[in-house]
Structures are given as C-alpha cells and as structure tokens.
C-alpha cells in the first residue's frame, strides 16, 4: 500500500496538509514517520467505542497465592545457590524499562537522571546500579544490563550515564535499545501533529520491550551468550533488588516460565495491580479493574484474598518470550494531555485531556507466560517507588525508606 493509500484508508490525509511547504529533508522525515507508524492501532479505537477494548474486567478471578516471606527464609540458601549459579553461568540478564516520560514527576529529562539526594548527589540510576553491584559482588561477576530508552530520552540517557562513568557498572556489559513509538490522536481518531513535519508520537508503553529488543537485534546477542532469563524492572523503585539470586533460584526451581516479585498490599485500595488467577491463568488485575468489594474480600485467615501486589520486577523465560513474540498484546487506550500544533501552526500544551495514547503494558505479558511464581518480598526493604515529587510514592517517601535501609542521600 502506498503512503497515500494508507493515509486515505485511515482518514489521516491531514498529515500532509503542509507537505508542499516542507524542505526535502522534512518531506523525507515525514514520509518515514508515516511509513513507520502503526495505523492499525486506530482500528482498536472503534472497538473502544463499542466497549470491546481488551481489559481484565471479565473472567473468573481466584487468588494465586505466593511463596511467602517465611517460606522463602527457610529455603533461602538453596534458592540463592541456584540463583548465583545461573548468574555465574551467564544465564541471567537485567533489563531496565527506561522509556517512560515520568510526567508525574514533572522533570524534563530521563527519570533515572533525577537527583534525589539532599546531602549529596544521588541519582535514581545510581540507586539502581548500586543495587545491582551488590549482587555482582556476591556473584563475583557482572551480568548484562540492557537499558530500554525511547526516542524522547535515548541520547540524554546515554550521555548522562557515560558522564557518570555508568556509576561503576562496566560499560562493556551495558547495551541500549530504543522502544517503539505510537501515534497519539484526538477523540475522533485523527493523529495529532506536533509540527508541520512531525507526527505526535510517544513511547508505546513498557509492554513492547521484547518486540523492540528483537527489532534491535539484541535478543540474539543475549541468546548467543547463553542468557535464558531476563529480569525486567522499572526505573521507579529505588529499593528493589535486581537479579536477586534468591528470586532467580526460586523461580528456576518452581519450573514456571516467569517469576513476579510482589508485596502485601497496605490497604485493599492500594494502587498496585494484584497478581491472581483469571480463568486459571496468572493475571495482573489493576486496582481500578478489581472493584472495592472484591479487593476487600478476606480469606479464611482474615487476610486480604487478593493481597499480593506487583512491583514491576519480573523474571521472564527467554524461551517463552520467543513463543509469544508474534502474538497480539492487549492494547490500552489512555486519555492524555497531548501537545499539538493548532491551525495557526503554534504548539499548544493543553490543560486537560484532549485525546488518546496507545500503550502496551508489561503486566499483560505475565498472562502469556502461562505459569508464574508469585514471590513475596518485604515492602519496607524492597519497595520505594518514585512516581511523584511529594506525597505517596514520591521522592520524599523514597528518601525515608532508603534511610531506613541505611542509604542516606
Ligand atoms: P510508568 O507507568 O510509571 O510511566 O512506568 P512513566 O512514564 O515512568 O511515568 P508517568 O506515568 O508519565 O508519570 C513504569 C516503568 O515503565 C517504563 C518507565 O520508564 C518505568 O520504568 N516505561 C513506561 C517505559 O519503559 N516505556 C513506556 O512507554 C512507559
């Protein structure tokens, strides 16, 4: 299909409105963006109108249970041994999801380059790398660290880390790749433009990480070097243990295709996704999908039935990831404030939501794994997410939790 046919089929001819005014370079760039953009996402918008958008609200839910802290403590040595062996044999890589825009933090730059220190410089990246170095010392080796960025922060992320000497992680063990972008559109499904030669594009969520890794060819490098497990983790949680040998060992020994670190929710309504079973398969049900009543249900011991919340730290089997790489993932259509170019060619930053962004989410991969070990960790020791500047899940709360764990910053 030619570009023009593609535009016509999807009713996006307006993207060429300024084409004749553009320089040759700008024309080529715009054509490349149109070529590259996945317009089929817009089809799902029609489904949304029919309330058919994929979600987790249907299906029969039941608790999944977890390998709980006391149980883990009893088998700690055994798990750790297996985990360390896997790390030393080069079977495990870490993959940092760094393509987000951190809008809630309100910081113009890669979230990892945010300085959370008070008495000294202490960057979010540094916190994550320090946590990894703890494991490297124990294992007496370095594991591959793969960092996913987006077009919006790739150059800045690379230069920031280089400038800081990768906070002590060996450069030759680090790889970067850029995630895919998705167009943003108005409520009528018309893709916004940010400039006369620029479509409005944003990172397509953290769920496309494996497809983008494959596109970049990095999967082969990992596979050829013997990697079998990928520990995917988020930028936000500055207390998390990455490539935690105990978690790795427990997942390997459980024979599942994936492991998920979970914490006990601090309240039924806490804003974390609950790891449970839906129609018998491991599934993460977001807090807004579960409903207050179900979220508050108690088990026979008086504990919340659905108490295990995920913290975006998963161990995925590479083998299983290959089996599902071509499968369609659920697409999440999210209302957002999208900067756009108005009729007079000015860039407008809207005060309220004005359209949709399209995202794939890593949580949805867990279901495709078919089996998952839910692995409980102590929230006071392993969960200090930074989403906001102040308040819940913020720089301030993370600093306090870091201090409780002996990290003064
Ligand atoms: P969040 O869902 O918190 O999104 O990402 P965010 O973009 O960082 O922050 P807000 O919502 O704009 O405030 C959770 C993790 O997923 C990564 C983030 O970098 C973070 O590690 N992520 C998110 C991506 O890698 N790509 C994306 O497209 C979105």
């Amino acid at each position: 299909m030619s570009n023009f046919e593609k535009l016509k089929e999807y009713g996006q001819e307006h993207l060429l409105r300024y084409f004749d005014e553009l320089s040759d370079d700008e024309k080529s760039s715009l054509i490349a963006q149109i070529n590259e953009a996945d317009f089929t996402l817009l089809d799902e918008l029609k489904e949304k109108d029919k309330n058919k958008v994929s979600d987790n609200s249907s299906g029969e839910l039941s608790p999944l249970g977890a390998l709980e802290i006391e149980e883990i403590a009893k088998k700690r040595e055994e798990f750790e041994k297996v985990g360390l062996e896997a790390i030393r044999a080069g079977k495990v890589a870490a993959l940092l999801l760094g393509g987000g825009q951190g809008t809630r933090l309100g910081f113009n730059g890669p979230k990892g380059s945010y300085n959370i220190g008070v008495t000294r410089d202490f960057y979010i990246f540094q916190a994550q790398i320090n946590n990894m170095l703890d494991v490297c010392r124990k294992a007496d080796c370095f594991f591959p660290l793969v960092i996913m960025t987006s077009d919006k922060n790739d150059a800045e992320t690379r230069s920031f880390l280089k400038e800081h000497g990768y906070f002590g992680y060996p450069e030759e063990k680090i790889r970067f790749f850029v995630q895919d972008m998705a167009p943003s559109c108005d409520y009528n499904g018309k893709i916004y433009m940010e400039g006369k030669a620029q479509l409005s594009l944003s990172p397509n969520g953290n769920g496309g990480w494996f497809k983008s890794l494959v596109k970049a060819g990095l999967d082969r490098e990992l596979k050829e070097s013997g990697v079998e497990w990928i520990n995917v983790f988020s930028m936000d949680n500055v207390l998390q243990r990455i490539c935690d040998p105990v978690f790795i060992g427990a997942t390997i020994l459980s024979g599942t295709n994936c492991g998920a670190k979970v914490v006990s929710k601090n309240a039924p309504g806490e804003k974390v996704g609950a790891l449970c079973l839906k129609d018998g398969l491991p599934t993460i049900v977001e807090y807004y999908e579960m409903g207050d009543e179900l979220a508050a249900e108690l088990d026979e011991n008086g504990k919340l039935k659905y108490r295990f919340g995920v913290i975006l730290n998963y161990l995925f089997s590479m083998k299983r990831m290959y089996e599902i790489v071509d499968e369609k993932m659920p697409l999440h259509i999210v209302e957002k404030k999208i900067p756009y170019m108005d009729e007079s060619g000015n860039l407008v930053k809207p005060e309220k939501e004005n359209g949709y962004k399209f995202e794939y989410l890593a949580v949805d991969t867990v279901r495709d794994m078919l089996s998952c070990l839910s692995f409980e960790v102590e929230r006071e020791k392993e969960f200090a997410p930074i989403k906001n500047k102040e308040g819940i899940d913020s720089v301030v709360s993370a600093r306090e939790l870091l201090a409780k764990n002996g990290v003064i910053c």
Side-chain angles (χ1 to χ4, degrees):
M1 196 192 307
S2 76
N3 269 321
F4 192 70
E5 279 168 309
K6 183 176 173 185
L7 292 174
K8 205 161 162 211
E9 183 182 337
Y10 287 92
Q12 305 294 332
E13 294 99 321
H14 64 284
L15 300 177
L16 293 182
R17 185 188 299 163
Y18 303 100
F19 198 72
D20 293 338
E21 295 176 28
L22 304 178
S23 68
D24 285 350
D25 281 356
E26 287 171 328
K27 281 181 181 160
S28 320
S29 156
L30 182 59
I31 290 173
Q33 292 167 52
I34 293 170
N35 246 331
E36 179 84 356
D38 181 3
F39 284 9
T40 64
L41 301 177
L42 300 163
D43 288 336
E44 306 234 5
L45 213 49
K46 297 178 202 143
E47 299 300 302
K48 179 182 172 64
D49 294 339
K50 288 186 234 153
N51 281 330
K52 279 212 271 172
V53 66
S54 341
D55 63 34
N56 279 325
S57 50
S58 56
E60 198 181 319
L61 291 186
S62 55
L64 169 60
L67 190 57
E68 297 189 30
I69 292 166
E70 303 76 44
E71 183 91 27
I72 294 169
K74 283 187 216 148
K75 298 190 179 154
R76 197 181 168 80
E77 267 179 40
E78 183 192 350
F79 291 157
E80 190 170 59
K81 185 167 168 280
V82 173
L84 285 173
E85 274 167 15
I87 293 171
R88 289 183 188 125
K91 292 182 181 172
V92 188
L95 191 145
L96 170 56
L97 300 170
Q101 292 179 284
T103 33
R104 280 169 284 177
L105 188 60
F107 170 64
N108 248 346
K111 197 167 183 174
S113 65
Y114 190 82
N115 187 354
I116 60 170
V118 178
T119 59
R120 60 174 170 131
D121 288 341
F122 193 65
Y123 301 94
I124 294 181
F125 266 128
Q126 187 175 3
Q128 307 293 10
I129 292 178
N130 281 354
N131 294 344
M132 285 182 254
L133 288 172
D134 279 349
V135 175
C136 296
R137 274 188 288 273
K138 195 154 213 175
D140 203 17
C141 68
F142 294 97
F143 42 82
L145 166 60
V146 187
I147 302 176
M148 181 168 88
T149 62
S150 85
D151 275 350
K152 305 251 178 199
N153 68 14
D154 183 64
E156 268 184 282
T157 301
R158 288 174 193 247
S159 60
F160 175 83
L161 284 170
K162 196 173 176 61
E163 219 172 274
H164 289 85
Y166 303 93
F167 295 107
Y169 213 81
E171 187 176 0
E172 67 277 11
K173 283 283 177 187
I174 302 180
R175 295 287 180 276
F176 295 88
F177 71 101
V178 180
Q179 74 172 94
D180 289 334
M181 303 289 274
S184 315
C185 66
D186 67 14
Y187 291 123
N188 297 315
K190 301 280 179 207
I191 294 174
Y192 276 121
M193 296 201 77
E194 269 178 15
K196 292 183 176 173
Q198 181 60 52
L199 308 193
S200 167
L201 297 169
S202 57
N204 70 345
N206 58 24
W209 64 271
F210 194 70
K211 281 194 171 80
S212 302
L213 182 83
V214 170
K215 211 168 163 185
L218 278 179
D219 65 308
R220 259 179 290 128
E221 187 182 330
L222 294 178
K223 205 173 148 209
E224 278 161 19
S225 71
V227 171
E228 294 175 8
W229 295 93
I230 305 188
N231 188 186
V232 170
F233 65 101
S234 83
M235 186 70 85
D236 314 324
N237 180 5
V238 286
L239 265 187
Q240 68 192 314
R241 304 276 103 201
I242 299 146
C243 288
D244 169 1
V246 184
F247 173 50
I248 294 167
T251 306
I252 293 175
L253 289 170
S254 74
T256 53
N257 291 321
C258 111
K261 286 200 165 186
V262 297
V263 292
S264 270
K265 284 165 74 168
N266 61 11
E270 189 185 7
K271 291 183 174 173
V272 291
L275 179 52
C276 31
L277 290 173
K278 191 177 83 172
D279 296 332
L281 289 179
T283 305
I284 289 147
V285 179
E286 289 299 343
Y287 59 94
Y288 49 83
E289 294 170 329
M290 181 161 267
D292 296 345
E293 216 172 287
L294 199 59
E297 261 185 35
L298 301 179
D299 65 15
E300 59 283 1
N301 300 316
K303 288 183 174 175
L304 290 175
K305 243 187 188 174
Y306 297 97
R307 67 181 171 283
F308 296 115
V310 286
I311 59 171
L312 224 179
N313 189 313
Y314 302 106
L315 188 68
F316 291 116
S317 141
M318 271 283 258
K319 183 165 169 275
R320 181 67 193 150
M321 287 308 305
Y322 276 117
E323 287 166 6
I324 60 165
V325 65
D326 293 326
E327 278 178 26
K328 205 164 178 273
M329 291 186 78
L331 183 67
H332 297 255
I333 301 172
V334 203
E335 263 193 279
K336 290 262 167 115
K337 296 175 199 158
I338 303 158
Y340 65 98
M341 190 181 64
D342 67 10
E343 297 289 314
S344 346
N346 299 317
L347 186 70
V348 180
K349 291 194 172 166
E351 303 268 299
K352 54 180 194 158
E353 284 73 15
N354 61 337
Y356 299 117
K357 288 191 177 183
F358 299 90
E359 293 180 347
Y360 296 105
L361 299 182
V363 286
D364 291 322
T365 305
V366 171
R367 189 170 172 79
D368 288 332
M369 291 282 121
L370 306 176
S371 56
C372 176
L373 174 75
S374 177
F375 181 96
E376 189 189 11
V377 297
E378 277 181 62
R379 58 184 300 145
E380 290 276 303
K381 289 194 179 154
E382 284 206 41
F383 192 42
I386 297 179
K387 298 283 187 196
N388 310 296
K389 272 205 172 105
E390 291 168 357
I392 296 172
D393 297 344
S394 68
V395 176
V396 177
S397 60
R399 263 189 216 128
E400 282 165 16
L401 284 160
L402 280 167
K404 278 190 190 159
N405 284 278
V407 183
I408 308 296
C409 61

